[in-house]
Amino acid sequence: MDKKELFNQFVAFTTAVHQVTHELTQNVKIDNITPVQYKILEYIKVSQPVTPTEISDCQHMSLPNTSRELRKLQERKLIEKISDTEDRRKHYVCLTEDGEKIMGEAFACIEARFQQLIQHASKKDLEDINYALNILDEKVFNPKS
C-alpha cells in the first residue's frame, strides 16, 4: 500500500474518531464541571498518575491554565496531587475517590451510548473491532521502540 494513501486514510480515521468521541461525550453532565475540566478528568482517569505537564501537553493548554484548572478540581476534592518520592519538586495527579465516582458515572453514560453504536454488530464484527483496536494501539498509538 502507498504510504501517502495510508496517511490520508489515517487522517480521515482520526477525524472520524474525534467526531464519534464528541458524539459519545456530548451532554455528559457533571455538576459544575466545565468541558475543559471534564477533558482533564477524563485524561487523568485513563492515564493516572500524570504530571501537570503531561496534562498540559495532551490538552493543548498552557501550563498556567492547566495549573489553575487543576487547583479548581483539587478544591472540589476530585483530584489529589502526590509528590514524587525521589524528586520532591515533581508532582503527580490522580483522581480522588469522589473523582473516581464522578468519572465512573460519566463513563457509564458513554458506555451506554457506545453499546447502542455496536448493538447490531455480530460476534465476528466485535472480534474484528477488537483486533483492529489492538493493532492500532500496538503499531500506531503505543508502539514499542
Side-chain angles (χ1 to χ4, degrees):
M1 171 177 248
D2 178 86
K3 288 184 178 182
K4 177 87 171 157
E5 182 182 330
L6 182 61
F7 170 74
N8 289 333
Q9 186 178 4
F10 180 74
V11 170
F13 171 77
T14 56
T15 300
V17 166
H18 287 291
Q19 181 62 37
V20 170
T21 301
H22 174 74
E23 291 168 5
L24 289 174
T25 59
Q26 188 175 18
N27 300 322
V28 172
K29 296 291 183 204
I30 301 174
D31 290 338
N32 302 316
I33 297 290
T34 67
V36 168
Q37 291 170 345
Y38 172 79
K39 292 307 259 180
I40 290 171
L41 290 171
E42 182 182 68
Y43 178 70
I44 295 169
K45 171 71 177 156
V46 300
S47 304
Q48 63 187 330
V50 294
T51 64
T53 300
E54 290 170 329
I55 295 168
S56 175
D57 289 345
C58 183
Q59 300 301 315
H60 308 287
M61 294 173 61
S62 70
L63 196 51
N65 284 345
T66 301
S67 295
R68 184 184 65 248
E69 295 301 331
L70 290 174
R71 188 177 60 254
K72 291 176 185 176
L73 291 169
Q74 192 171 16
E75 288 169 359
R76 296 201 52 209
K77 300 190 182 342
L78 298 177
I79 64 164
E80 61 185 336
K81 290 185 180 178
I82 302 166
S83 295
D84 187 305
T85 55
E86 295 175 15
D87 183 351
R88 297 303 236 172
R89 297 169 296 169
K90 191 172 184 179
H91 290 87
Y92 293 98
V93 179
C94 295
L95 296 178
T96 61
E97 192 174 309
D98 287 346
E100 288 284 356
K101 181 180 177 208
I102 284 174
M103 291 311 295
E105 292 168 2
F107 277 25
C109 179
I110 294 165
E111 181 181 3
R113 293 174 184 176
F114 175 74
Q115 294 295 341
Q116 286 180 325
L117 278 179
I118 63 168
Q119 67 182 332
H120 299 296
S122 69
K123 183 177 183 200
K124 173 77 169 96
D125 290 340
L126 296 175
E127 290 170 358
D128 288 347
I129 292 167
N130 183 59
Y131 179 75
L133 290 172
N134 285 330
I135 291 295
L136 283 168
D137 185 56
E138 180 183 316
K139 303 291 184 187
V140 179
F141 298 115
N142 293 299
K144 308 274 190 277
S145 296

